[in-house]
Amino acid sequence: ILGTLLGDSSIGYPNSYSKSPRLSSTHGYVQREWAEYKAKFLHRLDAKTRVAKNDGWGDMSVYTATACNPSLIAIDKLVKRRGKKNVSREWLDGIGDIGLAWWICDDGSASDKSMFLHTEGFSKQDNELIADWFCDNIGKATVCQNKQKKAYLINIASWTQIEVGKRVSQYVPE
């Protein structure tokens, strides 16, 4: 859960009457199998997917949401400050290899020479924390700026991709 929250998922209380938060995500239709895989894995949280018209990129998207669950309260408190996702060392230290795999499957891209984590939704400070954490725990990573979007993302060095692959391969579905 901590890994996918760094990627395409969000956590929150659906309305003012909710006593517990739920986890949700939206993926493009081309990621339908990935969304269904995550929902199946999260079956204890009663995760369900549905296909819906997309008003953004692509015609259709896949929306997944869990039921509200008290077990998500601590996670909500860990990943948010003042109602907004805010990266912390504690959050990053908690993702483990399976969380790293889910983060990459949500928001990663790769070529022969580089791998990126599309962290454009996070601040420059959050991105710097992510890059530092990556360097301390896995290998070289740097913060790059997407000047068109005026946002930042993580560039993972090509030789570090080998270490990342070793760590996540067993957790990435076909």
Side-chain angles (χ1 to χ4, degrees):
I1 291 173
L2 294 176
T4 193
L5 284 169
L6 287 161
D8 287 332
S9 292
S10 61
I11 190 168
Y13 293 77
N15 61 59
S16 60
Y17 300 107
S18 299
K19 294 186 185 333
S20 304
R22 69 177 174 198
L23 187 68
S24 62
S25 65
T26 302
H27 290 286
Y29 191 77
V30 296
Q31 288 183 293
R32 180 181 55 82
E33 289 180 35
W34 170 239
E36 290 170 351
Y37 173 87
K38 285 198 307 185
K40 185 176 177 184
F41 192 91
L42 297 170
H43 71 277
R44 290 179 298 170
L45 294 173
D46 197 25
K48 304 270 193 277
T49 62
R50 65 179 169 83
V51 175
K53 184 178 180 317
N54 186 359
D55 294 327
W57 186 261
D59 292 332
M60 304 299 284
S61 59
V62 181
Y63 175 76
T64 304
T66 68
C68 294
N69 191 300
S71 65
L72 296 172
I73 293 170
I75 294 172
D76 182 66
K77 288 180 180 176
L78 174 66
V79 304
K80 286 183 179 171
R81 222 172 269 135
R82 291 185 209 105
K84 186 178 175 196
K85 282 187 196 178
N86 192 282
V87 178
S88 68
R89 195 72 143 164
E90 184 181 9
W91 179 1
L92 293 165
D93 286 343
I95 67 171
D97 291 344
I98 190 169
L100 180 61
W102 281 36
W103 186 11
I104 290 168
C105 288
D106 273 4
D107 271 350
S109 65
S111 67
D112 292 340
K113 297 183 180 183
S114 61
M115 174 184 273
F116 294 95
L117 286 172
H118 294 275
T119 52
E120 289 95 340
F122 293 114
S123 69
K124 182 178 182 184
Q125 181 180 352
D126 284 346
N127 273 277
E128 289 168 349
L129 180 63
I130 292 166
D132 289 345
W133 175 85
F134 217 92
C135 290
D136 291 345
N137 291 282
I138 301 170
K140 186 173 182 190
T142 56
V143 177
C144 298
Q145 186 176 16
N146 179 334
K147 292 181 181 176
Q148 287 179 320
K149 292 184 180 180
K150 296 182 181 171
Y152 301 90
L153 63 151
I154 303 297
N155 181 1
I156 300 167
S158 59
W159 56 269
T160 303
Q161 290 180 51
I162 296 166
E163 178 61 25
V164 170
K166 288 179 193 174
R167 290 178 178 224
V168 304
S169 61
Q170 66 181 324
Y171 304 113
V172 176
E174 295 265 337

